[in-house]
Amino acid sequence: MDLHVSPLGRVEGDLDVRVTLTDGVVTDAWTTAGMFRGFEMILKGKDPQAGLIVTPRICGICGGSHLYKAVYALDTAWQTHVPPNGTRIRNIAQACETLQSIPRWFYAIFAIDLTNKRYAKTPSYDEAVRRFAPFVGTAYEKGVTLSNKPVEIYAIFGGQWPHSSFMIPGGVMSAPTLSDVTRSISILEYWKNEWLEKEWLGGSIERWMQNKTWEDILAWMNENEGHYNSDCGFFIRYALEVGLDKYGQGHGNFLSTGTYLDPELYQNPTIEGRNAALISRSGIYAGGGFHEFDQARVREDHTHSFYKGTGSHHPFDGVTDPIDPLVGEKQDKYSWAKSPRYDVPGLGYVPLEVGPLARQVMAAQPDPAAHQDADPLFLNVINSEGPSVLTRVLARTHELAKYYTMARRWLDEIDLHDKFYAKPVERESGKGFGSTEAARGALSDWIVLENGKIENYQVITPTAWNVGPRDADQVVGPIEKAFLGTPVANTADPVELGHVARSFDSCLVCTVHAYDGKTGKQLSKFVVGGM
């Protein structure tokens, strides 16, 4: 029997995932990004500000995140001054895009699989279908519909969402009125009251944020009927019931480049000053210890990618020189994605998982500054329960309460009598680095300017960090690693592979081919869930 899943993902792009099954368990995996991007080639030789127009078009879901890191790359290259109001508006926009993305991803992409007939004999299956069935589920309809509220705020400040280019070197183009700010607060409060607290948490965000350990979460869930029967409470109970805490672990090493700059501390953006000004902290967690993030330690390996040659480069020296995939396959290349790696002190260049779980682990680093996010919850969770599909999903939904609180504070802090923009000096040459945390993980730009034009531009997306193929040392990427050990109950409908892939929210349309590990025979091809 042959097995072929297409598509596995429900987001734009193309991803093939080939897995080897031995006695019903994944024992090897290969991820293949099947779409050539090439935006770096488009930007070469263009005006320095071209990245503000081009890179938000890379993605229709996180276009605001692409704009956020692109403008900081140019801010650092041009050595601009950004008034605090400019940073506040940028932060609000970034947070609102992420607040939209979390429920839309959970209901429309991830939770659909919880209604798979694989779980029809479990005690809570009927309730899962009632809540999460696509288009008709009671929770699905409200969660997806109200998720548009946060990006209404983005459109008030940015003129449109997606694909806005209102963030410019030196600040933002918008000059909001008191009506714009009060309207934004009203929209954000409506979303919080009608969905976040009423439907998702079944209680206050303040009570949820008191959870500091896995045991706290279980106690919160059983504290009252509101929490127990909320969408969050039900998801935790059902995920434990169907075993989503048992697989999808990955390497257990994480990277976050951090996001949200303190408006007062990052008025003159520099690469060196970025870590100290971050509110959601950057960092590396690998081998059981924390390390400071340094963009100079990033490399992109292209040994198994459809680009000329082998080896790796720092993004400032990055090369995008594509080759015919048919030629590349003869060189043991199998993906358009490169393989980002980070030089961890004492460990060398290793693959690191990015995303909400990585961000929330980094929130537990010691010695936070007064303006920085400090939260021990998910370091406790991975130490006590381990990384898993459940852990990864819960980390992302944990950010709902956190980012709502931040966005509301920045709205309250806008000073309508102060500047939102300071005209920069447009320097002829320089290097810049800008980064943020898109909903699905670290997203960064490196720009090199010469003679007033873009000499080199490299973008590393969260999906590249997570779905990148093997490197020169044959070390598998984060999602390839997370597939290992996944049980597949029905090779005609391997929904478990969908759970793993969608817990990363890889921004690619996926095709899965499954092979028998003993015979090498392709099992079958099919569509998971029909979507």
Side-chain angles (χ1 to χ4, degrees):
M1 179 177 67
D2 291 335
L3 177 63
H4 180 184
V5 182
S6 178
L8 183 62
R10 299 187 172 104
V11 191
E12 64 185 81
D14 298 281
L15 176 67
D16 289 353
V17 180
R18 179 163 67 94
V19 298
T20 298
L21 297 174
T22 303
D23 298 327
V25 176
V26 176
T27 54
D28 211 346
W30 297 261
T31 56
T32 298
M35 182 172 64
F36 176 63
R37 188 179 62 198
F39 281 87
E40 291 87 349
M41 300 170 68
I42 296 172
L43 286 166
K44 187 176 177 64
K46 298 293 194 301
D47 183 277
Q49 297 187 79
L52 308 176
I53 305 297
V54 172
T55 67
R57 271 72 183 176
I58 291 175
C59 178
I61 297 173
C62 341
S65 301
H66 277 279
L67 177 61
Y68 189 97
K69 48 72 173 162
V71 75
Y72 276 115
L74 204 46
D75 277 322
T76 54
W78 276 359
Q79 303 170 40
T80 67
H81 172 76
V82 181
N85 271 341
T87 301
R88 291 189 185 103
I89 299 296
R90 292 179 183 181
N91 286 347
I92 292 166
Q94 169 70 85
C96 285
E97 182 173 84
T98 301
L99 290 175
Q100 177 253 30
S101 181
I102 297 170
R104 194 161 292 192
W105 157 79
F106 179 81
Y107 292 109
I109 294 177
F110 181 82
I112 290 173
D113 291 327
L114 302 179
T115 68
N116 190 284
K117 291 182 179 179
R118 156 91 166 83
Y119 308 119
K121 295 182 180 179
T122 60
S124 303
Y125 178 74
D126 289 345
E127 178 62 14
V129 172
R130 187 186 72 81
R131 291 180 189 242
F132 300 142
F135 305 109
V136 297
T138 55
Y140 178 102
E141 189 275 336
K142 195 164 187 178
V144 171
T145 301
L146 290 181
S147 70
N148 73 337
K149 289 300 177 184
V151 288
E152 288 182 9
I153 299 170
Y154 193 112
I156 288 173
F157 295 111
Q160 68 181 68
W161 184 92
H163 304 322
S164 176
S165 295
F166 81 107
M167 300 179 197
I168 54 177
V172 294
M173 285 195 283
S174 55
T177 65
L178 178 60
S179 175
D180 292 331
V181 176
T182 56
R183 184 180 167 204
S184 297
I185 292 173
S186 176
I187 292 170
L188 191 62
E189 289 301 294
Y190 175 81
W191 176 80
K192 187 258 289 185
N193 294 333
E194 291 300 312
W195 181 77
L196 178 54
E197 291 191 330
K198 185 177 180 180
E199 303 293 334
W200 179 253
L201 293 175
S204 72
I205 59 172
E206 291 80 9
R207 176 63 189 90
W208 170 262
M209 290 305 295
Q210 291 174 0
N211 294 327
K212 303 302 180 188
T213 67
W214 173 245
E215 295 302 322
D216 286 348
I217 290 176
L218 296 179
W220 170 90
M221 185 177 68
N222 292 299
E223 188 171 277
N224 57 50
E225 289 189 9
H227 296 169
Y228 189 82
N229 292 318
S230 66
D231 283 355
C232 180
F234 176 75
F235 166 70
I236 295 170
R237 290 187 283 121
Y238 191 60
L240 293 171
E241 189 173 302
V242 301
L244 299 187
D245 57 325
K246 305 299 184 188
Y247 58 90
Q249 287 86 353
H251 288 289
N253 297 327
F254 304 95
L255 174 148
S256 172
T257 59
T259 190
Y260 305 128
L261 282 310
D262 183 275
E264 302 295 337
L265 296 178
Y266 210 53
Q267 295 187 54
N268 300 296
T270 64
I271 297 174
E272 296 75 18
R274 183 175 178 276
N275 282 347
L278 285 166
I279 296 172
S280 293
R281 288 180 282 173
S282 63
I284 313 298
Y285 182 80
F290 286 108
H291 304 271
E292 184 177 7
F293 170 72
D294 180 356
Q295 61 80 29
R297 290 178 174 272
V298 175
R299 296 289 185 275
E300 281 194 297
D301 190 297
H302 58 282
T303 300
H304 291 285
S305 306
F306 296 135
Y307 300 96
K308 189 175 182 180
T310 60
S312 62
H313 300 285
H314 182 272
F316 278 142
D317 305 314
V319 177
T320 304
D321 193 357
I323 62 174
D324 188 326
L326 295 178
V327 175
E329 288 173 358
K330 297 176 182 177
Q331 303 170 16
D332 205 20
K333 297 173 181 285
Y334 61 94
S335 178
W336 282 111
K338 297 178 182 176
S339 303
R341 295 292 186 265
Y342 188 90
D343 182 17
V344 179
L347 298 178
Y349 288 98
V350 297
L352 299 171
E353 175 180 337
V354 302
L357 182 55
R359 286 195 288 272
Q360 294 313 308
V361 169
M362 248 40 80
Q365 292 178 90
D367 304 321
H371 65 281
Q372 291 183 319
D373 181 30
D375 185 351
L377 178 58
F378 277 89
L379 182 60
N380 170 273
V381 172
I382 65 165
N383 284 336
S384 63
E385 306 303 311
S388 67
V389 172
L390 168 59
T391 305
R392 204 168 284 118
V393 173
L394 201 58
R396 186 160 178 175
T397 59
H398 177 61
E399 294 182 331
L400 288 160
K402 189 172 285 189
Y403 293 167
Y404 155 80
T405 303
M406 291 180 183
R408 177 57 203 268
R409 183 175 73 246
W410 293 320
L411 283 166
D412 290 344
E413 290 175 350
I414 292 174
D415 182 354
L416 295 174
H417 301 290
D418 205 352
K419 295 180 179 178
F420 291 81
Y421 169 72
K423 184 174 176 55
V425 175
E426 300 185 11
R427 301 179 188 277
E428 291 284 306
S429 61
K431 290 183 176 180
F433 167 70
S435 190
T436 188
E437 288 284 329
R440 56 182 58 82
L443 175 60
S444 310
D445 282 6
W446 285 260
I447 186 171
V448 178
L449 304 178
E450 288 184 7
N451 301 318
K453 301 291 183 183
I454 295 174
E455 175 62 22
N456 201 1
Y457 205 106
Q458 292 291 320
V459 181
I460 298 185
T461 65
T463 299
W465 278 105
N466 287 332
V467 311
R470 286 158 171 75
D471 56 29
D473 295 325
Q474 310 305 316
V475 179
V476 296
I479 289 186
E480 291 178 331
K481 179 69 173 179
F483 279 124
L484 305 186
T486 298
V488 175
N490 179 6
T491 55
D493 190 1
V495 66
E496 299 90 346
L497 301 181
H499 291 323
V500 174
R502 287 161 197 149
S503 73
F504 284 90
D505 192 20
S506 52
C507 191
L508 294 155
V509 176
C510 312
T511 302
V512 170
H513 313 262
Y515 291 81
D516 186 281
K518 295 178 178 176
T519 66
K521 180 182 179 183
Q522 187 179 20
L523 297 174
S524 70
K525 59 175 60 178
F526 59 92
V527 176
V528 173
M531 298 186 65

